[in-house]
Amino acid sequence: MAPSSLTLAIVSLATWVSLISPAHSATCTSQTFTNNKLYAFCNDLPSLASYLHWAYDPAGLTLSIAFIAPPDGPDGWVSWAINPTATGMRGSQALIAFRDAGGKMTVKTYNISSYAPLTESKVWYEVKEATAEFSGGVIRLFATLVLPQGAATTVNQVWQVGPSVTGGVPDRHAFQPANLNSKARLDLLRGESTVILVGNTRTKKRNTHGILNVVSWGIMFPIGIIIARYLRAFPSADPAWFYLHVSCQVSAYAIGVSGWSTGLKLGSESKGVRYANHGNIGIALFAFATVQVFALLLRPNKEHKYRFYWNIYHHGMGYVILILGIINVFKGFNILKPEPKWRDAYIILISVLGGLAVLLEAITWIMVLKRKKSSKTTQPYEGHGHGNGRQEHMDM
Ligand SMILES: *[C@@H]1O[C@H](CO)[C@@H](O)[C@H](O)[C@H]1NC(C)=O
């Protein structure tokens, strides 16, 4: 059936979009330090415009690093961590650089075991020295660490940037794809940092979720409503509008449900963050749309006396879905923060659909009024009229 092949096309589009990533050239090799420090290796880290320079002495287990990143705001912080037990933030043994209350750059260590506010603590490695400087929009964090006996020479690194510091405690960072993908394996001896694919999978999921839901709730449902409301005013489109409307909404529903389920997955995977409103509207949309699709099966015959009430219910629910769908698309844009062009493109598209609806509304009324002149019994819509005669015919 059409919905599944459409879904497939959209999923492949989403996958393709998520594969486009900025090309990397090794910028770090041209970076120099005012203290003339030299490091054996450097890497352009794959997210957050961050760089790591390092040198490792396996005999003394001594690791010297310079981590460079732009904080997420002028009073923000940057962090570099080793996670000896996992790949993500939980369990990270972090160095965080920020401006202290006195205005001086400072570096502190944190054993990050949860998403709770950070408290300074001892970490898995020993810190010989750590300093930081802030200039040109980037913080440079320098540290010399001694790893514990038996430490592997390939470690999981995690880095992060945050917007602010409150009372000496770094505040929570953003949860954009770049913030969630900021982890990699680091081979201390070979100078290779490889991206951990878990992060990319998540970005793909977010893109898929966004595209499926914009297409379904944000575009196809409104088009289906426009078809139902305006096409049937044309007597020549009589059975056609109905089948167009049903196939458009059923496909939208199929895509919407797969988009919704990717959202549920994303929600269950992001332990620390909850987008309660977005999620609740999503659940409501799923419930309403399911009722709408099944209401089709319960639709009374057009001569039946309850058909008038069924119409009111079906149209009312349709408009609720229309409005909630568009609101949730914008909430989704605020959460995923795609490049502004996607949001702009959607605004243009939905405005065009809105303009088209206004135009068709005017045309429909002109047609209905003309028809009224020639036949006194004609009514524009059951919502305005009394659901009799000609109008019932228009409503299949
Ligand atoms: C970090 O915190 C975890 C959980 O509280 C604890 O199990 C672990 O031993 C701590 N690590 C260090 C180096 O203190």
Side-chain angles (χ1 to χ4, degrees):
M1 202 176 141
S4 57
S5 54
L6 190 54
T7 310
L8 193 69
I10 289 163
V11 170
S12 24
L13 179 70
T15 314
W16 178 73
V17 166
S18 67
L19 286 175
I20 304 169
S21 57
H24 288 292
S25 57
T27 304
C28 69
T29 51
S30 62
Q31 290 171 330
T32 54
F33 300 99
T34 47
N35 53 14
N36 288 325
K37 273 197 175 151
L38 284 174
Y39 298 88
F41 303 109
C42 79
N43 261 173
D44 292 9
L45 297 176
S47 74
L48 299 171
S50 305
Y51 304 91
L52 183 75
H53 297 249
W54 79 97
Y56 184 55
D57 164 24
L61 295 161
T62 309
L63 174 64
S64 297
I65 64 146
F67 172 68
I68 307 174
D72 198 3
D75 303 312
W77 51 265
V78 306
S79 170
W80 185 83
I82 292 177
N83 191 334
T85 51
T87 58
M89 167 170 154
R90 241 177 245 263
S92 289
Q93 307 296 304
L95 294 159
I96 305 187
F98 56 90
R99 218 180 274 290
D100 67 15
K104 265 188 57 183
M105 290 305 292
T106 179
V107 177
K108 292 188 170 154
T109 55
Y110 300 85
N111 171 9
I112 299 170
S113 49
S114 73
Y115 284 90
L118 299 178
T119 43
E120 196 182 352
S121 55
K122 286 186 90 68
V123 287
W124 175 72
Y125 45 77
E126 181 195 335
V127 180
K128 277 255 157 104
E129 59 163 319
T131 59
E133 56 184 50
F134 193 170
S135 68
V138 297
I139 293 179
R140 291 175 195 79
L141 189 169
F142 300 99
T144 304
L145 318 175
V146 181
L147 304 190
Q149 284 295 334
T153 58
T154 298
V155 295
N156 296 319
Q157 60 172 334
V158 185
W159 61 100
Q160 197 53 263
V161 302
S164 52
V165 176
T166 306
V169 181
D171 294 321
R172 200 164 89 162
H173 60 80
F175 281 78
Q176 297 311 312
N179 300 95
L180 299 170
N181 289 339
S182 52
K183 50 195 170 186
R185 299 275 297 165
L186 179 65
D187 186 330
L188 297 172
L189 297 177
R190 290 200 303 154
E192 277 172 17
S193 156
T194 46
V195 174
I196 294 170
L197 286 169
V198 172
N200 282 0
T201 309
R202 189 168 167 84
T203 304
K204 255 176 222 168
K205 272 191 203 151
R206 288 163 67 103
N207 289 348
T208 308
H209 171 73
I211 291 172
L212 289 178
N213 286 304
V214 168
V215 166
S216 129
W217 307 101
I219 299 173
M220 290 178 74
F221 270 114
I223 289 177
I225 289 176
I226 289 176
I227 290 172
R229 184 163 171 87
Y230 302 112
L231 223 49
R232 70 157 164 221
F234 300 92
S236 57
D238 196 349
W241 74 261
F242 177 77
Y243 295 109
L244 267 176
H245 173 65
V246 170
S247 46
C248 185
Q249 303 311 60
V250 168
S251 320
Y253 179 73
I255 297 169
V257 169
S258 42
W260 181 67
S261 63
T262 58
L264 288 186
K265 255 219 184 90
L266 284 172
S268 69
E269 285 170 7
S270 70
K271 290 287 182 293
V273 234
R274 284 274 169 266
Y275 299 106
N277 290 342
H278 182 70
N280 291 341
I281 294 177
I283 290 168
L285 277 171
F286 169 72
F288 292 161
T290 304
V291 170
Q292 277 301 65
V293 167
F294 286 99
L296 196 66
L297 309 173
L298 301 176
R299 192 174 55 144
N301 190 295
K302 64 184 157 197
E303 275 80 40
H304 197 285
K305 59 179 173 173
Y306 289 144
R307 177 55 178 267
F308 171 63
Y309 300 105
W310 186 89
N311 283 342
I312 291 180
Y313 139 76
H314 182 69
H315 298 174
M317 191 72 109
Y319 289 124
V320 169
I321 292 174
L322 173 77
I323 292 163
L324 286 182
I326 293 173
I327 290 175
N328 229 22
V329 163
F330 281 102
K331 284 198 179 293
F333 278 132
N334 288 342
I335 294 167
L336 289 185
K337 294 199 174 61
E339 282 184 63
K341 66 180 178 192
W342 296 112
R343 188 195 170 100
D344 294 346
Y346 181 69
I347 290 174
I348 291 170
L349 187 69
I350 205 74
S351 309
V352 167
L353 286 179
L356 185 69
V358 170
L359 188 72
L360 289 170
E361 186 78 33
I363 293 174
T364 311
W365 276 96
I366 291 168
M367 278 176 51
V368 166
L369 291 178
K370 266 192 186 155
R371 215 178 284 150
K372 209 172 188 175
K373 262 188 191 160
S374 51
S375 140
K376 288 273 181 227
T377 56
T378 304
Q379 300 292 339
Y381 303 110
E382 55 292 320
H384 307 290
H386 308 290
N388 58 2
R390 165 79 192 146
Q391 179 276 318
E392 278 297 291
H393 173 70
M394 285 168 66
D395 192 39
M396 278 280 298

